[in-house]
Amino acid sequence: WCAKEAIYKAHGGKILSLKRDISIDKFTKRNQGAVWGAIGSQLFVVHYKFYAGHVLAWGKEVGIRMSGRDSPQAASGRITYF
C-alpha cells in the first residue's frame, strides 16, 4: 500500500481508489529498490526502503504508456518520459 499511496500523492491527491485506479507491477521485495506503477496510461516509479520496521516510499511520474496493456518493462521504446 505504501507504493500506491506514494503514487496517489505524486498524482496530486485527486479522488482515486487505491485498489481500483492505481496498479503496481509485480516485483521482488528487497530491503530497498524501485517498482513501476500506473494510473491509466500515466507511469510512475516508486522508490522504497525498509527502515527500523517501517517503509519509506516516494514516487514520481515518469511518463506515459503508449499501450495500456504493456508493462513498463515490456514497453521498451513505447514510453514517453518527462
Side-chain angles (χ1 to χ4, degrees):
W1 286 104
C2 290
K4 287 191 172 198
E5 289 176 6
I7 290 172
Y8 177 85
K9 290 176 182 176
H11 187 259
K14 297 177 183 156
I15 298 174
L16 296 170
S17 165
L18 294 179
K19 185 175 182 179
R20 185 182 62 243
D21 298 324
I22 301 172
S23 62
I24 301 293
D25 282 4
K26 291 182 180 182
F27 68 100
T28 301
K29 183 175 131 180
R30 296 185 170 91
N31 286 334
Q32 62 184 17
V35 298
W36 287 99
I39 298 172
S41 63
Q42 293 176 282
L43 290 176
F44 295 80
V45 63
V46 175
H47 297 272
Y48 68 91
K49 182 174 183 166
F50 288 89
Y51 180 75
H54 302 281
V55 180
L56 175 64
W58 60 100
K60 177 181 177 184
E61 185 176 3
V62 293
I64 54 173
R65 188 179 305 178
M66 302 308 283
S67 172
R69 294 177 299 189
D70 296 331
S71 71
Q73 294 86 350
S76 175
R78 293 181 294 213
I79 298 175
T80 301
Y81 292 98
F82 300 133

